[in-house]
Amino acid sequence: MPTSEDYKGQVPAWCPGCGNFNILSTVKQALVELGIEPWEVLMVSGIGQSGKLPHYMKCHTFNGLHGRTLPVATAAKLANHSLHVIAVAGDGDCYGEGGNHFLHAIRRNPNITLLVHDNQIYGLTKGQASPTTAQGTHTKIQPYGVLEEPLNPLALAISQDCSFVARGFAGDQSYLKELLKAAISHKGFSLLDILQPCVTFNKINTFRWYRDRVYKLEEEYDPYNRLKAFERSLEWGDRIPNGIFYKSERETLEEGIPTIQEEPLVRQKFSIEDVKHEIDKFY
Amino acid sequence: MEYTLRVGGEAGQGLQTIGGALAQVFSKIGFHVFTHQDYMSRVRGGHNFYQIRFSEKEISASRDMVDILLALDLDTIEIHRKSVRDEGFILYDSEITKKKFEEPEFIDIPFKKIALDVGKKSVMANTVATGAALGILDLGLETFRNVLKKAFEKKGDEVIQGNIACAEAGYNYARKNCPRCEAPEIREPENRGLMLIDGVNAIGMGALMSGCKFYSGYPMTPSTGILNYMASRAEEYNLVVEQVEDEISAINMAIGASFAGVRAMTGTSGGGFALMVEGLSLAGMTETPIVIAEMQRPGPATGLPTRTEQADLLFVLYAAHGEFPRVIFEPGDPKQAFYLTNKAFELAEKYQIPVFIQSDQYLGDTEWTYEKFDLENIIYNDYRLREKDLEGVEVYKRFKYSSTGISLLAVPGEAGKHLVVVDSDEHDEEGHIIEDSETRIKMVQKRMLKKLPLIKKEIDPPLLYGDSSPKIVLVGRGSTYGVIKEVVDTISKDHKVAMMHFSQVYPLPERDKFDYIELLENADLTICIENTATGQFAKLMRAETGFEFTHQILRYDGRPFTIENLKEELHAYI
Ligand SMILES: Cc1ncc(C[n+]2csc(CCOP(=O)(O)OP(=O)(O)O)c2C)c(N)n1
Ligand code: SF4
């Protein structure tokens, strides 16, 4: 059985007190509790503070470009669906630069888990507004305050029939761990949007601010009711629900591709002899 | 003996069906065939043509003048009448054109009426027309029957028999109503059928036979043919082919699949490649092998979507930020496209770099005939490390320094407990982010400076065709190969002339095996021929070798060079 120690990576270079630390330790715990070994996990990340997370763990890692996490993760899964593929992104990374890929990953429904470190700000580039920053927030670049409506990732994902949609909070690690385990275990594309306080640049959405508002969806809440899920995803303000908002059973991308049903693509042996007869088709 | 047929009409009238069938008939009989297509960017209407040249000897380009014009509409007659040779023929259906022509070259054949009378379906008019063209040549009816049988295999016997009857009727009608044609007495060649293949299929087949297992792409003319080919072969050969949301995704997917352990490729045209540039740089930094087909069409922006140009060379050469090695191949014909795609995979995997197959609409769509491709020459070396390969390795480091700059390429999840870590930031040997200058220098040396000289040694010298110590050298690269070759053939009686063709254009070949610069310097006239307005290859040669061509012939109207037009351009200098 793996232990948390097996997953120990480099020393993080995040600001002291950053919400990312909690996410890191919780991800490790969730993987340990699921009994998944480091060499069975591929973490794909983009650019931003979140993008560094895989380096602070031990597992296969592809830390690619800003916003491009999902195409890399999806293709890696298609090439080797025996790996647990976890995509790690920031709110700017995934909903801004990578917005198009986000929409299409939902459509494709590969069996991968997407963790979005949603700190409602651009951290690494020092405090500009992100797609989830509240309207009216002042930054160096938004002197009149953010004019745009914030993007609602959960509502968006539910509207597109994303097969697993959940929200967690970096300040409630035990619940976050449950959500992480559920997301990783879910068959299909799972979105876990994690409220992550950026203690340096986001002076509004602090640990305190979230603690005062966050609550768990009720025990009897039915995640298979899409309309209800949509309704609850619109709740934001004095009360912010956490939990699994929506689930649906959809065929995964890998399941739809007949050529990889017997064996992951990467294990299929290639021999020129097997394809030579192709040339006959041109006579 | 050689003939040129041009089939003209609107998009949607079945030009490809007729042209494709004729090309197949000639190649199956054993003639050498060269076809090219000229089409507009629209699905119906407009004016398009499909041209087929066939001969007993090898041919490699298109002519302007035609022997037989098969006109499916009035526009075709008006546009192409002047291109018909004096002894040539124009086949048409006066019921379709609503106009009757009395001149001796015109042969009015009721395509539609025959189709209805004989086949009971007006769609069979195309088969009647094809039969009529073969009738004029008194050639290939038996082969055409077989082509039809194969083409309509899935549609059942009734459709097959109807089409065969229409073909015969068209054939016989043309033979009876062609006062000017004595039987041309074309001798059918002795050799059995030749293979017929175009550029995009040759690239696709090259990828398939190189072990490519993953192809991601977003449709864009003229690269779509490769995507079509790969998708059509997915089931038979266990490939994964993904149509993606955009070209950014296409290249990132190819990189993701390659990282995860399978050979991967993507393809696009200039505009799509503009979107891939960031991902190209990622492949460079992460040393992930990928093959990219960049099929050129005229730009800037959306340009002439269905036409041809070679003006992306310097773009592809300089695309992406930062410095990393890349290789660019520009095949001259489908056969070269096939082998160079194979070599592209070999080099991409061996050196863990991006390699380009750069071609264009012209070569992508032109069909050529060959005796065969020698499959013994296909290279396949698996450079990836799996389970046993890493036994004994204590700690695997993805980017371990080495004398060649190449480090072991392990497959995540398939190499025991070893972890594969890769980063787009500068990284250490293990793949983790660094910022110190010492590691940076070592990594640049590893990625770039150590690999480059080794890669250069893999590049073959240009092809010299014609006189071995020429006074005139016609220099080309990529798809101008065929036309320059034929022009050299026609003028070599009177001149000491040769073609120098580059199909491996970057890095430029070393001069130790063949000092091509010396040969150029010893000639009186060196003419660089390109489908660009600014002579991009000439610029590259000057920048890399200091050599300057005496002249350039440039065509940038979106059309390929033809034999007549290139000869005419040469008149200014010879
Ligand atoms: C193509 C591109 N554009 C811009 C950047 C600069 N950049 C790096 S991280 C970042 C945004 C980070 O914000 P977010 O994704 O929310 O992550 P966080 O740092 O807050 O975790 C940007 C704009 C980049 N690396 N690449
Ligand atoms: S800038 Fe914000 S998100 Fe980044 S490490 Fe510091 S606190 Fe965390």
Side-chain angles (χ1 to χ4, degrees):
Chain A
M1 284 300 279
T3 64
S4 215
E5 202 47 30
D6 295 331
Y7 274 105
K8 191 165 171 226
Q10 295 189 324
V11 183
W14 290 315
C15 311
C18 172
N20 281 332
F21 286 100
N22 295 7
I23 299 178
L24 174 64
S25 60
T26 316
V27 167
K28 285 187 201 164
Q29 276 172 31
L31 288 167
V32 167
E33 286 182 23
L34 289 171
I36 299 172
E37 300 280 0
W39 57 89
E40 296 171 320
V41 179
L42 167 61
M43 282 220 165
V44 182
S45 63
I47 299 296
Q49 299 292 16
S50 62
K52 298 176 183 171
L53 180 135
H55 289 287
Y56 306 150
M57 309 204 8
K58 266 213 177 81
C59 59
H60 300 294
T61 298
F62 191 102
N63 181 190
L65 298 172
H66 190 46
R68 312 300 170 213
T69 317
L70 288 171
V72 174
T74 304
K77 184 76 184 179
L78 289 177
N80 187 355
H81 62 263
S82 67
L83 290 172
H84 288 277
V85 178
I86 301 175
V88 182
D91 44 330
D93 185 60
C94 183
Y95 306 137
E97 190 85 66
N100 198 23
H101 308 310
F102 176 61
L103 291 181
H104 292 279
I106 294 175
R107 282 181 58 224
R108 286 194 181 96
N109 198 33
N111 184 11
I112 64 181
T113 304
L114 168 64
L115 310 181
V116 182
H117 298 215
D118 191 349
N119 55 13
Q120 296 166 261
I121 203 80
Y122 280 13
L124 192 61
T125 47
K126 304 202 166 120
Q128 303 83 6
S130 90
T132 52
T133 302
Q135 213 170 15
T137 307
H138 287 261
T139 80
K140 275 190 196 153
I141 304 192
Q142 286 83 19
Y144 326 115
V146 171
L147 302 176
E148 299 91 338
E149 278 277 341
L151 183 137
N152 182 332
L154 303 190
L156 180 61
I158 294 163
S159 78
Q160 299 306 306
D161 201 20
C162 180
S163 77
F164 180 103
V165 182
R167 179 194 283 138
F169 169 42
D172 182 353
Q173 282 178 271
S174 70
Y175 193 46
L176 182 61
K177 190 177 72 193
E178 294 316 308
L179 295 173
L180 271 165
K181 284 162 73 176
I184 295 168
S185 310
H186 174 78
K187 186 172 75 71
F189 183 70
S190 43
L191 164 67
L192 177 55
D193 187 82
I194 305 169
L195 303 174
Q196 173 241 320
C198 167
V199 295
T200 306
F201 294 112
N202 190 335
K203 301 296 183 199
I204 301 167
N205 310 108
T206 58
F207 274 103
R208 183 74 223 225
W209 188 90
Y210 285 124
R211 261 199 198 103
D212 289 346
R213 289 165 173 81
V214 160
Y215 74 97
K216 290 178 196 162
L217 288 170
E218 310 73 42
E219 292 265 317
E220 52 295 354
Y221 177 82
D222 172 18
Y224 290 95
N225 185 330
R226 194 165 168 202
L227 281 180
K228 262 272 170 310
F230 189 70
E231 197 181 317
R232 297 302 290 270
S233 73
L234 299 180
E235 254 182 67
W236 181 273
D238 288 345
R239 286 174 59 72
I240 300 174
N242 272 5
I244 301 171
F245 283 67
Y246 182 59
K247 275 208 260 187
S248 73
E249 316 285 332
R250 286 170 55 194
E251 187 183 64
T252 65
L253 180 63
E254 308 89 87
E255 285 171 335
I257 300 176
T259 55
I260 53 173
Q261 292 317 303
E262 280 175 22
E263 189 98 80
L265 197 61
V266 75
R267 277 183 218 149
Q268 298 181 18
K269 296 268 175 292
F270 174 77
S271 152
I272 301 173
E273 293 310 316
D274 299 339
V275 296
K276 271 188 171 169
H277 63 277
E278 172 64 16
I279 196 124
D280 300 335
K281 295 187 187 139
F282 293 92
Y283 279 94
Chain B
M1 186 290 302
E2 67 159 84
Y3 277 87
T4 298
L5 287 88
R6 187 177 294 165
V7 189
E10 289 180 6
Q13 275 191 310
L15 301 179
Q16 278 188 331
T17 322
I18 300 178
L22 286 169
Q24 273 194 45
V25 169
F26 300 137
S27 66
K28 280 189 197 313
I29 294 175
F31 286 112
H32 291 276
V33 175
F34 184 92
T35 77
H36 108 258
Q37 298 188 45
D38 184 298
Y39 52 95
M40 296 176 73
S41 181
R42 51 191 289 177
V43 175
R44 298 228 168 254
H47 176 73
N48 299 339
F49 69 81
Y50 192 113
Q51 180 152 319
I52 306 125
R53 181 173 166 225
F54 71 96
S55 168
E56 282 159 353
K57 55 178 186 47
E58 282 184 26
I59 44 175
S60 58
S62 281
R63 297 190 154 285
D64 285 331
M65 297 306 286
V66 302
D67 300 286
I68 299 173
L69 177 66
L70 183 54
L72 300 181
D73 63 1
L74 190 60
D75 266 2
T76 300
I77 296 175
E78 280 160 5
I79 296 171
H80 298 286
R81 209 178 152 168
K82 283 207 268 327
S83 309
V84 180
R85 219 171 35 89
D86 286 349
E87 303 297 308
F89 302 98
I90 299 173
L91 310 188
Y92 76 116
D93 179 348
S94 59
E95 200 189 306
I96 297 174
T97 57
K98 307 272 181 262
K99 190 166 169 185
K100 189 116 178 110
F101 296 87
E102 302 298 345
E103 292 84 343
E105 68 265 34
F106 282 91
I107 305 175
D108 184 2
I109 301 176
F111 301 140
K112 255 203 181 139
K113 183 167 181 307
I114 297 179
L116 280 171
D117 290 351
V118 177
K120 311 281 175 258
K121 284 200 175 79
S122 63
V123 287
M124 292 186 192
N126 282 341
T127 308
V128 177
T130 313
L134 294 172
I136 295 288
L137 296 162
D138 197 12
L139 188 74
L141 186 57
E142 186 51 39
T143 311
F144 187 36
R145 281 194 198 102
N146 293 331
V147 167
L148 288 169
K149 272 184 209 154
K150 192 122 189 272
F152 296 114
E153 212 168 53
K154 291 207 181 89
K155 297 209 167 159
D157 213 38
E158 204 178 318
V159 177
I160 294 176
Q161 292 314 325
N163 274 286
I164 289 179
C166 284
E168 287 167 349
Y171 190 94
N172 293 331
Y173 190 97
R175 289 237 48 75
K176 275 199 208 98
N177 297 285
C178 178
R180 280 207 310 160
C181 38
E182 325 263 290
E185 286 193 28
I186 303 171
R187 260 190 314 118
E188 296 199 3
E190 309 265 300
N191 49 343
R192 70 270 117 203
L194 298 177
M195 71 177 283
L196 178 75
I197 191 165
D198 65 14
V200 284
N201 281 304
I203 292 172
M205 187 165 68
L208 178 73
M209 290 199 189
S210 304
C212 175
K213 283 278 175 188
F214 185 95
Y215 189 94
S216 46
Y218 186 86
M220 185 169 186
T221 307
S223 66
T224 313
I226 308 173
L227 182 58
N228 287 344
Y229 175 88
M230 296 305 273
S232 72
R233 301 306 195 260
E235 201 168 353
E236 187 173 353
Y237 300 111
N238 279 18
L239 317 176
V240 170
V241 179
E242 186 66 13
Q243 182 187 324
V244 289
E245 60 273 24
D246 55 32
E247 289 82 354
I248 299 172
S249 183
I251 190 164
N252 277 280
M253 280 217 188
I255 291 170
S258 180
F259 165 79
V262 303
R263 290 193 172 191
M265 178 172 179
T266 182
T268 186
S269 184
F273 181 65
L275 294 180
M276 288 187 179
V277 168
E278 182 202 31
L280 174 65
S281 191
L282 176 65
M285 181 52 120
T286 57
E287 300 183 54
T288 308
I290 47 163
V291 174
I292 304 167
E294 201 270 333
M295 303 296 287
Q296 301 160 98
R297 68 192 215 186
T302 323
L304 291 171
T306 60
R307 311 271 173 202
T308 202
E309 200 164 85
Q310 296 181 302
D312 297 350
L313 173 62
L314 295 182
F315 172 41
V316 165
L317 175 60
Y318 295 122
H321 54 295
E323 296 169 304
F324 58 92
R326 76 188 73 190
V327 172
I328 305 174
F329 292 149
E330 282 203 67
D333 71 352
K335 189 171 184 171
Q336 290 179 17
F338 175 75
Y339 287 116
L340 287 176
T341 304
N342 180 239
K343 185 168 178 175
F345 274 98
E346 169 68 14
L347 295 188
E349 296 281 319
K350 187 172 177 184
Y351 294 100
Q352 305 170 20
I353 54 168
V355 180
F356 290 89
I357 284 286
Q358 187 165 42
S359 187
D360 49 38
Q361 181 272 330
Y362 181 58
L363 184 59
D365 285 344
T366 48
E367 291 165 298
W368 299 51
T369 40
Y370 300 97
E371 294 278 342
K372 62 172 191 182
F373 288 175
D374 198 350
L375 300 184
E376 302 312 311
N377 294 338
I378 296 279
I379 321 162
Y380 181 79
N381 295 304
D382 189 3
Y383 294 99
R384 300 186 187 245
L385 307 177
R386 298 178 174 85
E387 296 299 335
K388 295 197 184 57
D389 304 320
L390 282 170
E391 269 172 22
V393 174
E394 195 71 26
V395 188
Y396 170 75
K397 295 178 175 168
R398 171 65 189 91
F399 300 103
K400 196 169 166 41
Y401 303 131
S402 71
S403 57
T404 56
I406 302 166
S407 13
L408 301 181
L409 184 57
V411 174
E414 302 297 298
K417 297 183 178 177
H418 292 290
L419 297 180
V420 187
V421 178
V422 156
D423 203 288
S424 68
D425 273 51
E426 189 58 277
H427 41 257
D428 60 17
E429 288 181 279
E430 274 183 54
H432 291 296
I433 297 176
I434 61 95
E435 297 202 30
D436 68 285
S437 63
E438 207 176 306
T439 312
R440 164 70 181 178
I441 291 168
K442 281 189 167 164
M443 273 300 156
V444 173
Q445 286 171 343
K446 164 189 153 37
R447 234 179 355 249
M448 171 96 188
L449 301 178
K450 286 189 176 171
K451 285 186 191 176
L452 262 184
L454 301 175
I455 295 170
K456 277 195 184 142
K457 291 217 179 317
E458 306 261 5
I459 306 300
D460 291 334
L463 171 79
L464 190 73
Y465 176 82
D467 199 291
S468 57
S469 45
K471 288 286 142 221
I472 306 168
V473 192
L474 307 183
V475 180
R477 48 143 177 142
S479 68
T480 53
Y481 163 80
V483 69
I484 301 178
K485 185 164 174 259
E486 285 212 37
V487 167
V488 165
D489 284 338
T490 59
I491 62 175
S492 58
K493 286 186 286 310
D494 307 318
H495 302 277
K496 274 175 80 66
V497 60
M499 165 179 75
M500 185 183 287
H501 182 263
F502 290 81
S503 60
Q504 306 188 18
V505 300
Y506 194 83
L508 277 175
E510 293 195 329
R511 286 149 67 174
D512 49 352
K513 283 176 228 151
F514 166 28
D515 194 344
Y516 52 95
I517 298 296
E518 190 187 8
L519 183 129
L520 289 168
E521 279 165 352
N522 287 336
D524 300 334
L525 263 184
T526 56
I527 307 177
C528 190
I529 298 160
E530 298 184 64
N531 275 123
T532 77
T534 58
Q536 299 196 2
F537 184 68
K539 277 194 184 140
L540 178 63
M541 277 285 268
R542 195 171 58 212
E544 297 267 322
T545 69
F547 180 79
E548 200 146 349
F549 295 102
T550 59
H551 299 92
Q552 296 189 35
I553 294 178
L554 305 171
R555 182 165 186 174
Y556 43 89
D557 61 352
R559 274 71 179 171
F561 287 101
T562 60
I563 296 172
E564 292 92 335
N565 125 265
L566 183 56
K567 266 165 67 181
E568 195 174 313
E569 294 269 347
L570 278 172
H571 274 318
Y573 311 108
I574 313 178

